[in-house]
Amino acid sequence: MMMMARDKKWDVSLFARAWYGLRMERTFPVERMFPRTLEALEGVFAWVSVFLADEKIDEPTGFAVKFAVEEMFVNMVRYNPGAANDIMIALSRAGDRLEVSLTDFSVKPFDVTGVAEYDGSLPLEKRRPGGLGIHLTRRLMDKVAYRYENGRSTTTLTKILGDRNV
Amino acid sequence: MFDANLTGGEVRLSGRFDASQVDKARSVFDGITTTCIVDFTNLDYISSAGLSVLLLTQKRLSQSGQCLKLRNLNVHIRQVFQYARFDMIFDIA
């Protein structure tokens, strides 16, 4: 039922744009639940791509957003393997700010902002893949924030849009 | 749709190399034992999961004096490699 309600909000937004023929600012988020599997990534990319196209987001920004969404989604899948609930992704735009939130339900905290910095100065033999995704997400996005409340673990990513996205 | 093909000492990547494609990529990269060109011409996207496959392959090959040589990266992927400082540990052109 929850899924249907969220999808309805998305449909209402599209209908309103078509009806009024105006470029409305989507200040409320569109949300969708995704299964806790890596196979869900294809659907995640497809859904995020529709939002980015609808908001006329340029290619470099779109690449960064999709990259960051994958990294955070995969972290939730991998680091809460015992969790049963789907993962919610919410997308919104307010002016020059694009925001993505990923929420994991009934899980222990995993604060991505507290992960140690990836050391890219190390020689090949000392390099490890761990921490690379979070490091790159920090570089590609303008802000990464974390909140934990009543078993809900939420990571919010913000990208400040350039002139090309207006 | 991701694909990785090893032919004539060269790996050609295409599509989107995300975390769901790691097993498919490993089945190709684990078979590389000598210096090899990796052609990114048709690769649109790579995440840290894909970078990890390349990193672990490069580490294994370096133990026998071999390496991966990366070619034709698009501008977005090239930027990711720079942020990861992979340009220090890979031959990229």
Side-chain angles (χ1 to χ4, degrees):
Chain A
M1 282 302 286
M2 190 68 86
M3 272 279 293
M4 287 176 65
R6 287 183 179 122
D7 284 344
K8 192 173 180 183
K9 188 188 287 183
W10 169 241
D11 292 339
V12 167
S13 167
L14 290 176
F15 175 75
R17 282 169 190 238
W19 179 260
Y20 291 110
L22 297 172
R23 175 164 176 72
M24 300 190 316
E25 209 168 69
R26 198 203 307 270
T27 53
F28 59 87
V30 291
E31 301 170 351
R32 188 156 169 186
M33 306 294 284
F34 290 94
R36 175 184 296 281
T37 68
L38 296 182
E39 287 67 37
L41 278 173
E42 189 168 351
V44 170
F45 278 108
W47 183 69
V48 172
S49 294
V50 168
F51 176 87
L52 295 171
D54 196 38
E55 292 294 336
K56 298 182 171 51
I57 303 301
D58 68 24
E59 200 182 328
T61 306
F63 185 97
V65 169
K66 284 187 268 190
F67 186 100
V69 169
E70 179 190 335
E71 297 299 337
M72 297 302 105
F73 184 83
V74 169
N75 268 338
M76 288 177 170
V77 171
R78 285 189 176 149
Y79 297 118
N80 288 304
N85 294 304
D86 289 350
I87 294 167
M88 184 174 76
I89 304 179
L91 301 165
S92 66
R93 178 183 181 175
D96 68 345
R97 294 169 66 88
L98 193 152
E99 213 168 79
V100 186
S101 289
L102 293 94
T103 301
D104 208 355
F105 300 89
S106 303
V107 293
K108 293 178 180 175
F110 179 66
D111 185 355
V112 293
T113 64
V115 174
E117 274 295 323
Y118 174 80
D119 188 353
S121 66
L122 293 173
L124 175 63
E125 61 273 16
K126 292 188 176 176
R127 295 275 188 118
R128 300 282 182 274
L132 185 55
I134 292 171
H135 164 74
L136 291 169
T137 298
R138 286 174 178 147
R139 290 298 305 264
L140 290 167
M141 301 300 281
D142 293 297
K143 185 180 175 188
V144 179
Y146 178 78
R147 188 176 75 250
Y148 184 79
E149 198 172 32
N150 300 325
R152 289 167 61 118
S153 185
T154 302
T155 301
T156 302
L157 311 162
T158 304
K159 186 74 177 171
I160 306 298
L161 305 173
D163 294 341
R164 287 173 301 176
N165 294 292
V166 176
Chain B
M1 178 72 179
F2 170 74
D3 209 358
N5 287 306
L6 175 59
T7 49
E10 182 174 315
V11 178
R12 291 183 181 171
L13 303 177
S14 61
R16 191 181 65 235
F17 192 171
D18 62 37
S20 67
Q21 304 299 326
V22 165
D23 289 345
K24 186 175 188 177
R26 272 194 189 146
S27 69
V28 172
F29 280 92
D30 286 352
I32 298 171
T33 55
T34 59
T35 292
C36 182
I37 301 284
V38 184
D39 184 4
F40 281 61
T41 301
N42 295 312
L43 191 73
D44 303 317
Y45 170 92
I46 190 168
S47 67
S48 71
L51 296 180
S52 297
V53 172
L54 296 172
L55 173 63
L56 295 175
T57 305
Q58 188 79 330
K59 288 180 75 163
R60 177 175 57 78
L61 289 175
S62 73
Q63 291 169 357
S64 55
Q66 310 297 311
C67 67
L68 296 177
K69 296 183 176 184
L70 315 183
R71 298 291 181 263
N72 306 314
L73 288 68
N74 73 32
V75 64
H76 311 305
I77 293 175
R78 191 175 290 270
Q79 184 184 46
V80 166
F81 272 75
Q82 286 168 349
Y83 286 162
R85 300 192 69 179
F86 271 28
D87 46 343
M88 288 174 55
I89 55 175
F90 285 96
D91 175 337
I92 300 175

